[in-house]
Amino acid sequence: RGCGWRIKAIHVLNLPSFAEILVNTTKKLLKQKIIDRLHIHGTDLTEFKKQIPSHLLPADYGGQGESLRDLS
């Protein structure tokens, strides 16, 4: 059974270069709707910060929330 949630976007941060090659290869097998929702961000997070409000981001990523160390 599936989950009742609707995934609007999937953001992947700091993906190693070899994994990025794997993801780009795998994209060819996915539906266009899923490809449009998959966002790969390298070390430059400016585009990521445009899409996610800063009050939702941890301080480690330039947001206003708690740091990841505090959250874990």
Side-chain angles (χ1 to χ4, degrees):
R1 294 193 178 209
C3 181
W5 301 343
R6 292 187 178 250
I7 297 174
K8 293 182 180 181
I10 299 170
H11 294 272
V12 181
L13 306 176
N14 300 325
L15 193 66
S17 59
F18 72 88
E20 191 169 348
I21 294 169
L22 181 65
V23 169
N24 288 332
T25 305
T26 307
K27 276 185 176 182
K28 297 174 184 173
L29 303 173
L30 300 174
K31 293 181 182 180
Q32 186 61 41
K33 185 176 180 180
I34 296 172
I35 293 171
D36 294 339
R37 293 179 182 186
L38 181 62
H39 305 281
I40 307 297
H41 304 282
T43 55
D44 181 22
L45 299 178
T46 55
E47 195 63 36
F48 175 68
K49 290 178 183 178
K50 289 179 186 176
Q51 296 179 12
I52 307 295
S54 65
H55 71 276
L56 297 176
L57 293 175
D60 303 327
Y61 291 106
Q64 300 169 0
E66 295 182 55
S67 70
L68 294 175
R69 175 173 279 178
D70 294 340
L71 291 172
S72 66

